[in-house]
Amino acid sequence: MKTGRIIKVSGPLVVAEGMSDAKMYDVVRVSESRLIGEVIEIRGDRASIQVYEETAGLGPGEPVYLTGEPLSVELGPGLIESIYDGIQRPLDVIQEQTGERIARGVELPGLRREREWDWQSRVKVGDQVIAGDILGVVQESTLVEHRIMVPPGVEGKVVKVHQGPAKVEDVVVQVETDQGIRDITMMQRWPVRHGRPYKEKLPPEVPLITGQRIIDTFFTVTKGGTACIPGPFGSGKTVVQHQLAKWADADIIVYVGCGERGNEMTDVLREFPELKDPRSGEPLMKRTVLVANTSDMPVAAREASIYTGITIAEYFRDMGYNVALMADSTSRWAEALREMSGRLEEMPGDEGYPAYLGSRLAEFYERAGRVTAIGSDDREGSLTVVGAVSPPGGDLSEPVTQGTLRIVKVFWSLDASLAYARHFPAINWLTSNSLYSARVKEYFDNKVDPEFPKLRATAMRLLQQESELEEIVRLIGLDALSEEDQLVLETAKSIREDFLHQNAFHEVDTYSSLEKQHQMLRLVLRFHEEAQRAIGSGASMEDILQLEVRERIARSKYIPEGELDRLSTIEKDITVQIDELIQGIGGEKSA
């Protein structure tokens, strides 16, 4: 193994000479402790190395070993239910070997070599296969069928097929290619900084149903879409991502804890095994991969953790699954970029971040998408990326937030004032937006109801009117408003408190199907229409607000999914009670 020699150590940055054989983004092993690092700059025979472990104690003269390979992840059976650090070392195995703290220089494979899997072949001798074709399957968990695919760049005729149980390094199929016989195991390696190939990118027209009313109804994200959740500390970014991971109709969840506090990842590790997948009743971990690089782990490894997570997500996308990747948070990843850029003495950009911050963010988010995977069966998969951003002090004008907003299509703006008012999810309906709303209209028309987009537009108009009227109320008081304007304020309040407010810890309210969301919104707006009719007939707002049906509308969020016919009953009762109110007014006038 070729070696270089350390000449400078600056935190996670190590400069070595004698590195003329190194290539950009090659993995190296630093010192006799064999710390893992990655070449990020080459000048002559000197290379700057980003070390993904603690560098305390390193000094000039120590060796650097070249591996000649880029930073890669192992892809194969065993990913599901695993918990990795930023460079795909299994944390549970590390704990068994070194205790509570990760020892330096630990070298462990991402996939367990000793475990046998029940390999079931899908091809036979003589079959012609191309890259991406499914050779066989392994039941990785009760929820995930792991499909073993022909690696990219391989095609030819099957000449041998293994039968029975196998380990990830065992040859399961032999393919005769133009370059000779190629042994294919159940495990592939893929460089993390390169997106995996696909046949065609498809338009984002199918919504990712999350069960969160403000997201599905107002600010939809699609399968294969990109979204960001910026917000100050304590506004609920992590809770929103946990809700999406629990309830979104994705087949696979990849959760990347990138520089966040350890207790937040602990919550994930405690909750997910206990949470039941709503579709199967199995624990949620049975379809989850966790990449945990918390705030007390090496800063440089935060950058690798993002790429490790998205490469694993792309692998499952290629199998034909709908995958959702949660990155919490990209701000910490950008801080790692800033630190390395500063140590490399590069010209700083805005607020000290590197000038290439925007292009790095774009490279990451552009790996999302709904695609036709390579292979002869035209299977479709999707990768949806949801990134949390933690701007200092909630300042959305800072570079990471602005760079992200230029790229993503959905912006869920978390608001500290909503969080302080205990309104969760604390997504501000006036500053958030989704550029997918028009694209998913046809889906809502066909799968829910053609009136659903109209209801959404009406509700949003009322919320905007409320914002304008609040200015007037602050100046001259509520009594100065007309009855119609007071009704707008009451309806907007009902939309906010009865529809948009959602309790993540209530067994019924934590998830709402599209059908329930449609009926709940229709209830609120039906009451608005009927109340307008009552006001036109001479009823006062005071009389309208005392109707018993208003309380039932407020409690409708707690109606279970199996009893949605109760919502239709409430809707009928709205008309009945308004009619009775109008008749009472008519009787008083005639008297």
Side-chain angles (χ1 to χ4, degrees):
M1 188 179 284
K2 295 181 179 177
T3 60
R5 189 174 68 88
I6 295 176
I7 58 173
K8 176 184 173 183
V9 179
S10 173
L13 177 70
V14 168
V15 180
E17 64 181 7
M19 304 285 286
S20 54
D21 290 323
K23 299 189 290 294
M24 278 293 285
Y25 298 121
D26 270 5
V27 170
V28 295
R29 297 288 177 175
V30 179
S31 81
E32 297 300 347
S33 299
R34 297 186 62 81
L35 310 185
I36 189 167
E38 189 180 20
V39 175
I40 56 172
E41 185 181 74
I42 299 174
R43 294 185 181 181
D45 77 333
R46 291 188 175 185
S48 297
I49 299 159
Q50 178 171 249
V51 181
Y52 291 134
E53 300 184 68
E54 179 58 55
T55 56
L58 291 188
E62 295 192 58
V64 174
Y65 301 98
L66 283 70
T67 65
E69 295 178 351
L71 184 65
S72 304
V73 289
E74 295 181 351
L75 303 171
L79 290 171
I80 297 295
E81 296 186 78
S82 292
I83 306 154
Y84 295 115
D85 73 352
I87 45 181
Q88 211 205 7
R89 297 181 300 185
L91 292 176
D92 53 340
V93 181
I94 290 176
Q95 185 186 22
E96 290 170 12
Q97 293 190 2
T98 68
E100 296 298 317
R101 310 295 296 179
I102 301 176
R104 296 199 306 172
V106 173
E107 293 185 53
L108 286 169
L111 301 176
R112 295 193 181 224
R113 300 294 193 259
E114 71 281 1
R115 183 170 176 182
E116 283 198 335
W117 299 92
D118 187 16
W119 157 262
Q120 296 174 349
S121 172
R122 291 285 186 268
V123 293
K124 58 185 185 299
V125 173
D127 286 353
Q128 287 288 333
V129 293
I130 62 172
D133 281 355
I134 294 172
L135 297 172
V137 298
V138 162
Q139 195 64 40
E140 187 170 1
S141 75
T142 48
L143 299 180
V144 178
E145 179 187 77
H146 196 109
R147 297 155 189 168
I148 309 300
M149 298 171 287
V150 179
V154 177
E155 65 175 281
K157 185 171 75 171
V158 176
V159 293
K160 186 178 179 184
V161 178
H162 175 81
Q163 302 296 332
K167 298 176 182 176
V168 290
E169 290 185 305
D170 292 344
V171 176
V172 289
V173 173
Q174 288 185 325
V175 177
E176 186 179 355
T177 68
D178 294 341
Q179 291 80 37
I181 300 293
R182 176 73 180 264
D183 293 340
I184 297 178
T185 65
M186 288 196 284
M187 181 181 78
Q188 298 182 21
R189 291 184 66 81
W190 191 264
V192 297
R193 293 182 184 273
H194 295 278
R196 286 177 62 85
Y198 51 82
K199 196 181 292 183
E200 181 188 5
K201 207 158 201 174
L202 303 171
E205 296 171 340
V206 181
L208 182 75
I209 309 303
T210 66
Q212 310 309 298
R213 292 188 287 270
I214 189 165
I215 292 174
D216 291 345
T217 300
F218 289 111
F219 309 112
T220 314
V221 64
T222 60
K223 289 179 178 174
T226 52
C228 79
I229 319 176
F233 174 79
S235 57
K237 294 184 295 295
T238 304
V239 173
V240 171
Q241 286 197 316
H242 285 196
Q243 284 295 93
L244 297 181
K246 293 171 195 173
W247 300 109
D249 65 338
D251 304 309
I252 308 287
I253 301 295
V254 179
Y255 195 99
V256 183
C258 176
E260 286 302 292
R261 297 179 304 285
N263 60 336
E264 294 185 350
M265 287 307 296
T266 305
D267 285 346
V268 175
L269 297 176
R270 283 180 176 162
E271 282 183 22
F272 279 30
E274 295 175 8
L275 282 168
K276 295 290 182 272
D277 178 57
R279 288 173 288 179
S280 63
E282 294 284 336
L284 201 58
M285 276 299 290
K286 299 283 186 188
R287 58 182 180 92
T288 303
V289 184
L290 294 174
V291 180
N293 199 86
T294 55
S295 52
D296 64 338
M297 291 180 177
V299 170
R302 294 177 188 176
E303 197 203 354
S305 64
I306 289 281
Y307 295 114
T308 296
I310 202 160
T311 306
I312 292 170
E314 285 178 329
Y315 176 62
F316 284 106
R317 175 207 70 189
D318 292 346
M319 294 183 200
Y321 288 119
N322 295 309
V323 186
L325 175 99
M326 309 294 161
D328 188 14
S329 94
T330 54
S331 293
R332 308 283 177 259
W333 170 69
E335 284 167 10
L337 283 180
R338 179 168 62 181
E339 175 163 347
M340 293 310 299
S341 176
R343 292 184 184 278
L344 287 168
E345 299 176 6
E346 295 173 337
M347 182 68 75
D350 196 8
E351 292 190 23
Y353 287 101
Y356 48 77
L357 173 66
S359 61
R360 288 285 178 89
L361 283 165
E363 281 173 19
F364 169 64
Y365 281 105
E366 284 169 2
R367 288 171 72 170
R370 180 167 152 253
V371 305
T372 303
I374 58 172
S376 51
D377 59 352
D378 285 340
R379 63 186 173 276
E380 189 183 297
S382 70
L383 168 52
T384 308
V385 175
V386 178
V389 185
S390 309
D395 175 19
L396 300 187
S397 65
E398 60 89 41
V400 182
T401 308
Q402 289 301 309
T404 305
L405 292 182
R406 282 193 285 271
I407 300 157
V408 300
K409 300 293 189 292
V410 179
F411 170 45
W412 297 319
S413 173
L414 292 174
D415 191 326
S417 61
L418 286 174
Y420 293 146
R422 318 309 297 164
H423 179 106
F424 291 104
I427 296 172
N428 188 309
W429 45 88
L430 297 176
T431 54
S432 302
N433 64 68
S434 170
L435 300 182
Y436 295 125
S437 297
R439 287 185 172 273
V440 298
K441 181 180 181 301
E442 187 177 342
Y443 179 93
F444 284 128
D445 286 351
N446 296 333
K447 302 284 183 171
V448 188
D449 195 293
E451 76 163 355
F452 193 33
K454 297 172 191 169
L455 293 175
R456 177 174 58 196
T458 303
M460 185 54 74
R461 189 179 70 248
L462 288 167
L463 289 169
Q464 288 166 343
Q465 283 179 261
E466 178 198 35
S467 178
E468 295 163 8
L469 290 170
E470 279 175 344
E471 292 292 324
I472 299 170
V473 170
R474 274 195 285 269
L475 289 170
I476 57 178
L478 182 64
D479 294 338
L481 294 182
S482 66
E483 297 273 315
E484 288 79 3
D485 285 344
Q486 288 184 37
L487 176 61
V488 168
L489 288 178
E490 280 299 324
T491 305
K493 180 183 175 186
S494 181
I495 294 170
R496 287 189 287 108
E497 297 182 359
D498 305 337
F499 184 77
L500 297 182
H501 181 276
Q502 194 164 354
N503 186 347
F505 301 101
H506 190 281
E507 59 180 359
V508 173
D509 195 33
T510 186
Y511 176 88
S512 288
S513 65
L514 284 181
E515 180 58 34
K516 183 177 179 181
Q517 293 181 41
H518 168 234
Q519 291 197 38
M520 282 178 65
L521 191 58
R522 192 164 76 178
L523 269 187
V524 174
L525 297 180
R526 184 60 183 271
F527 185 83
H528 180 75
E529 287 175 13
E530 293 294 305
Q532 281 180 318
R533 181 164 67 90
I535 288 171
S537 300
S540 68
M541 272 303 297
E542 190 178 347
D543 293 333
I544 292 169
L545 296 180
Q546 288 176 351
L547 292 177
E548 177 269 341
V549 76
R550 276 194 82 248
E551 182 65 27
R552 288 164 62 195
I553 293 171
R555 291 200 305 268
S556 64
K557 63 172 77 174
Y558 303 118
I559 293 175
E561 294 288 338
E563 302 174 21
L564 295 186
D565 53 337
R566 288 165 58 187
L567 293 168
S568 303
T569 305
I570 297 172
E571 188 175 353
K572 290 172 187 167
D573 289 347
I574 292 171
T575 306
V576 170
Q577 292 190 23
I578 291 289
D579 283 343
E580 289 173 355
L581 179 62
I582 293 171
Q583 286 166 10
I585 293 168
E588 286 173 16
K589 283 181 180 176
S590 59

